[in-house]
Amino acid sequence: MKDYCTYMDRLTLSPIAHLELMEALEHPPARPLRRRLLPLGGLAALFALVCAGAWGLWLGNTAGTALLPGESTLPALAAVSPTPAPSWDPQADTLTVPPLPEGYAFTQEALNLPDLTGTPCMVTCTGIPTPDTTQYVMTADQILSVFGTEDPTDLAISYGWEGFTLTGGYILRADWTLWRAWIQGERGEDSFSLVLAPGQDPPMNEHYEGYATWTENGVEVGGYSLTLQEADGSAGYLARVFFRTSQLGVFFEGRNAPGHLDPAQTMVKGIIRRGTDPLHGFTLEPLQRQLPKSLGTAVLEESPSPVPRVHPAR
């Protein structure tokens, strides 16, 4: 640093150089703007690109807001599509179960139900209603309520009823309490019947000895099969299971066309698995809440139309 100061002290300018230096200090030349304007221009271009990108993203995520040719303002947003109505009529007296969704399938393990064809059978008439009862038809919505669902596809997934057409009914006592309810299904030569009795033993008219018993979800289940001889000599298959939960007596019969065991075996397994489930079993509570509580014209008009019934001659 000392040598630098000594050098500067010894430095001298010629008169001409000194004059040029003084003039330059008094009138400095204008600085070129290119070096400043170029960065500012790049920044402006970058900002424009960011704005354009944000505008494009906003348009892309806002359905129905793209400008049409010649428009100067944005059109109104597209209306939200309404929820599609169900493909079935909740108030109809039949319900067709849709097919299984893609990817669903049932296992082929068969229940080992003993064939009691030809063994002694005791017949009782527990299924005949008394004269002081009234029979009603279930609506499609009421049929679904028995299984705790609002989607008919659940019946295909849980019970193997795809393609079956279901009908149902129930019987009320004179005091308008529920005595019995049933649901039937048909699909070509295959059919089934499910009978439910609130607070009663399983409602069945034929009693065989030698049926199998086992426990499912803590509920004792009984079951057997029968071989049905058709008029043409072919043999059909019939499977029956029955049990009683804390609220319902349950009897199910699945009947197959000759030559195979399904869908009766599939349906029986679904009935046992779901019917004995304490959380997802059958329930008549929604139906019972709709029942009339007393006699009267207004109550009768709100009730389902009764089905004509002829009593046997006495």
Side-chain angles (χ1 to χ4, degrees):
M1 185 69 182
K2 180 179 179 181
D3 294 337
Y4 176 77
C5 294
T6 303
Y7 171 77
M8 293 301 295
D9 291 338
R10 293 178 179 177
L11 183 64
T12 58
L13 294 176
S14 64
I16 296 176
H18 185 270
L19 180 60
E20 291 177 350
L21 176 61
M22 295 305 295
E23 290 180 352
L25 292 176
E26 292 177 0
H27 304 287
R31 294 183 179 180
L33 296 179
R34 174 175 295 183
R35 298 183 66 181
R36 173 177 292 183
L37 291 178
L38 283 178
L40 291 177
L43 183 61
L46 178 61
F47 181 78
L49 288 175
V50 171
C51 292
W55 175 255
L57 288 175
W58 185 82
L59 287 180
N61 288 282
T62 308
T65 56
L67 284 173
L68 298 177
E71 284 188 331
S72 58
T73 58
L74 290 175
L77 292 176
V80 178
S81 300
T83 303
S87 58
W88 53 278
D89 181 2
Q91 298 305 313
D93 56 5
T94 61
L95 174 66
T96 300
V97 180
L100 280 171
E102 184 177 356
Y104 280 84
F106 291 100
T107 58
Q108 298 301 315
E109 297 92 350
L111 291 174
N112 188 20
L113 298 178
D115 189 343
L116 301 183
T117 304
T119 61
C121 172
M122 182 177 67
V123 179
T124 59
C125 297
T126 61
I128 298 178
T130 59
D132 61 347
T133 59
T134 308
Q135 181 174 320
Y136 294 91
V137 174
M138 278 191 193
T139 64
D141 187 57
Q142 290 172 332
I143 291 174
L144 289 175
S145 72
V146 172
F147 306 98
T149 183
E150 297 179 353
D151 185 358
T153 305
D154 292 342
L155 304 184
I157 296 173
S158 300
Y159 306 99
W161 291 349
E162 59 174 336
F164 277 82
T165 298
L166 310 186
T167 57
Y170 57 96
I171 297 176
L172 302 184
R173 301 183 183 93
D175 60 356
W176 298 97
T177 58
L178 185 61
W179 178 62
R180 190 159 298 178
W182 68 90
I183 295 171
Q184 297 174 325
E186 293 185 357
R187 186 186 66 185
E189 297 182 81
D190 301 323
S191 62
F192 72 83
S193 176
L194 173 66
V195 187
L196 307 173
Q200 305 172 46
D201 289 332
M204 51 188 182
N205 297 327
E206 296 181 356
H207 303 267
Y208 288 85
E209 295 182 357
Y211 58 83
T213 60
W214 68 98
T215 301
E216 190 84 17
N217 291 322
V219 177
E220 183 176 332
V221 179
Y224 61 91
S225 66
L226 297 173
T227 301
L228 306 177
Q229 295 296 327
E230 305 295 339
D232 59 359
S234 59
Y237 175 78
L238 186 148
R240 290 173 174 170
V241 291
F242 46 91
F243 52 90
R244 180 173 179 174
T245 66
S246 60
Q247 297 183 354
L248 294 172
V250 180
F251 176 75
F252 178 81
E253 175 182 288
R255 183 186 297 262
N256 272 124
H260 56 91
L261 302 181
D262 283 332
Q265 279 278 350
T266 298
M267 294 190 294
V268 164
K269 289 187 292 185
I271 290 293
I272 295 171
R273 183 181 65 253
R274 293 298 298 270
T276 60
D277 189 330
L279 298 179
H280 304 95
F282 310 131
T283 176
L284 295 178
E285 291 183 2
L287 181 62
Q288 289 173 319
R289 288 195 294 266
Q290 300 175 17
L291 301 181
K293 302 302 181 183
S294 61
L295 292 173
T297 303
V299 173
L300 293 177
E301 290 178 351
E302 296 175 358
S303 304
S305 301
V307 175
R309 175 169 51 82
V310 179
H311 292 285
R314 296 183 180 273

